[in-house]
Amino acid sequence: MVHPAIITLGVQFSEFIISGGIARCSAMLYAFKKVIADYVTPPGTSIQRNLTSYLGKQIDYLTTTRHLAETMKSAIRQLKSEISNISLDKSDEDTKTHLLHWIDTFIKEKIVSADDSIVATALKFIKTDDVILTFGRSAAVELLLLEAKNLNYKFKVIVCDARPKLEGKILVQNLVNAGISCSYVLVNSLGAVMPKVTKLILGASALLSNGALLSRTGTAIAAMMAHDAHVPVIVLAELIKFSELVQLDSFVWNEIVLPSVLTPPSNDANSKPPILKDWRDIPDLKLLNLHYDITPASFISMVISEHGCIPSSSVLSIIGMVKAEEEKNLKKLII
């Protein structure tokens, strides 16, 4: 049985009401808190053995609504590991209390504190009169820019955006409301503004083990043009976005969004109909709407995580170091 909180969350995911790796991960963990709080252990089993299976059904449902973000996969792995390590001697209520506290701690340490650490490190690279380019809307980049404004840094921001989502509009609105000087351009105007840019700061959906960046479609174009113009490309990414997967291009794997959003209906009765209005009637025409693209490691100057500044080629080393720390802490708990 799927919990009502998970059904509601699945609808929000599928309709992109909640989007972005960190936002989706946080929402999922808060929903899991409701699932765990309402969970009742079936007769003849224990919560430590049955809860993982029960959560698996909730996760399977979420997977049918939208592909799991790397942040969500990381949180799920660590939550399942925590459940498996709980002593069978613990009562159901004590186990629930422990897991609810663990989720709160995970959110605080892996998301909130991680973002604070990333912002504190990234602030050192913002100089007076910088012109900062960013693409779309990243929660970490937005936090950085707002904090820089609070500390009275003098800089300008250029937000580059692309259809169909145009998420950058929300970022521009938030930055302007905070008193930051902003410009807004579409991706086809990048060449015109690039000579003014002093650094490109990007968010991430995932950082792959080969150093490549998985992010919203259009990010790779911005990074490529910045690299060609000798503009530093800085990526902000929490450790829970680091992935062991390897991907060389956007076609090996991607999330396909409904093509209908590429042909929005016209609200003006007097305007010309969209060019692709009747695309379904053309037998040999298919619209492909990919959600992510891949930015090669060679275009990335630096990655800033809660562990500090690293080259993108060191992603796999960081993953190995984090795993070694987790195994060491687990051995201490067992002893």
Side-chain angles (χ1 to χ4, degrees), residues 129-173:
D129 296 328
D130 258 349
V131 178
I132 299 171
L133 173 67
T134 189
F135 182 84
R137 186 191 181 203
S138 161
V141 174
E142 185 173 340
L143 284 173
L144 169 63
L145 298 175
L146 292 175
E147 182 62 20
K149 177 61 179 178
N150 290 337
L151 296 175
N152 296 319
Y153 282 59
K154 297 185 183 299
F155 62 96
K156 295 180 180 179
V157 176
I158 299 175
V159 177
C160 180
D161 212 356
R163 293 186 63 242
K165 297 189 70 177
L166 298 175
E167 294 173 301
K169 288 184 176 181
I170 302 173
L171 176 61
V172 170
Q173 183 177 2

Side-chain angles (χ1 to χ4, degrees), residues 1 8 15-16 35 65 71 76 84 91 137 142 145 175 182 189 193 216 226 229 233 236 243 256 260 288 299 305 330:
M1 180 178 178
T8 302
E15 296 182 357
F16 287 84
V35 172
T65 62
T71 51
I76 289 168
S84 65
S91 66
R137 186 191 181 203
E142 185 173 340
L145 298 175
L175 296 182
C182 290
S189 301
V193 300
R216 292 168 180 81
V233 179
L236 310 183
S243 171
I256 300 176
S260 57
L288 181 61
F299 293 165
S305 73
L330 180 59

Side-chain angles (χ1 to χ4, degrees), residues 35-298:
V35 172
I36 293 170
D38 295 342
Y39 173 81
V40 178
T41 306
T45 186
S46 64
I47 186 171
Q48 292 86 345
R49 292 174 177 169
N50 187 258
L51 181 57
T52 302
S53 174
Y54 182 67
L55 283 176
K57 296 176 182 177
Q58 318 303 313
I59 295 164
D60 288 342
Y61 173 78
L62 289 178
T63 305
T64 64
T65 62
R66 195 180 162 197
H67 190 275
L68 298 181
E70 187 61 37
T71 51
M72 299 168 69
K73 294 177 185 177
S74 179
I76 289 168
R77 282 195 301 269
Q78 295 188 49
L79 177 57
K80 287 184 174 181
S81 175
E82 186 65 24
I83 294 172
S84 65
N85 291 325
I86 294 176
S87 171
L88 293 173
D89 297 331
K90 269 194 175 183
S91 66
D92 285 10
E93 288 305 315
D94 287 345
T95 299
K96 287 183 181 181
T97 301
H98 172 82
L99 291 175
L100 295 178
H101 179 263
W102 182 91
I103 291 174
D104 287 334
T105 303
F106 183 92
I107 294 172
K108 182 179 179 181
E109 293 181 354
K110 303 295 185 180
I111 297 176
V112 178
S113 296
D115 284 340
D116 290 342
S117 178
I118 289 170
V119 168
T121 302
L123 282 171
K124 301 173 185 176
F125 296 94
I126 298 181
K127 308 300 180 184
T128 302
D129 296 328
D130 258 349
V131 178
I132 299 171
L133 173 67
T134 189
F135 182 84
R137 186 191 181 203
S138 161
V141 174
E142 185 173 340
L143 284 173
L144 169 63
L145 298 175
L146 292 175
E147 182 62 20
K149 177 61 179 178
N150 290 337
L151 296 175
N152 296 319
Y153 282 59
K154 297 185 183 299
F155 62 96
K156 295 180 180 179
V157 176
I158 299 175
V159 177
C160 180
D161 212 356
R163 293 186 63 242
K165 297 189 70 177
L166 298 175
E167 294 173 301
K169 288 184 176 181
I170 302 173
L171 176 61
V172 170
Q173 183 177 2
N174 294 341
L175 296 182
V176 169
N177 290 341
I180 299 174
S181 176
C182 290
S183 300
Y184 179 81
V185 299
L186 294 179
V187 70
N188 58 325
S189 301
L190 262 178
V193 300
M194 193 59 73
K196 307 174 186 177
V197 175
T198 56
K199 54 179 59 72
L200 169 62
I201 303 180
L202 299 170
S205 296
L207 272 168
L208 308 180
S209 61
N210 61 338
L213 168 66
L214 178 73
S215 195
R216 292 168 180 81
T217 298
T219 303
I221 296 175
M224 178 185 67
M225 294 189 68
H227 179 265
D228 188 59
H230 304 289
V231 173
V233 179
I234 301 173
V235 176
L236 310 183
E238 301 84 351
L239 282 179
I240 56 174
K241 292 182 177 178
F242 286 31
S243 171
E244 292 181 318
L245 297 176
V246 175
Q247 196 168 331
L248 300 178
D249 57 47
S250 305
F251 301 104
V252 173
W253 174 88
N254 212 314
E255 186 174 351
I256 300 176
V257 188
L258 291 175
S260 57
V261 299
L262 296 175
T263 57
S266 175
N267 296 323
D268 188 354
N270 298 320
S271 65
K272 294 181 180 180
I275 296 174
L276 295 175
K277 178 183 177 182
D278 300 320
W279 68 272
R280 289 184 176 85
D281 299 331
I282 304 175
D284 296 328
L285 178 62
K286 304 292 181 185
L287 298 188
L288 181 61
N289 186 12
L290 299 180
H291 190 63
Y292 300 110
D293 65 18
I294 294 291
T295 302
S298 58

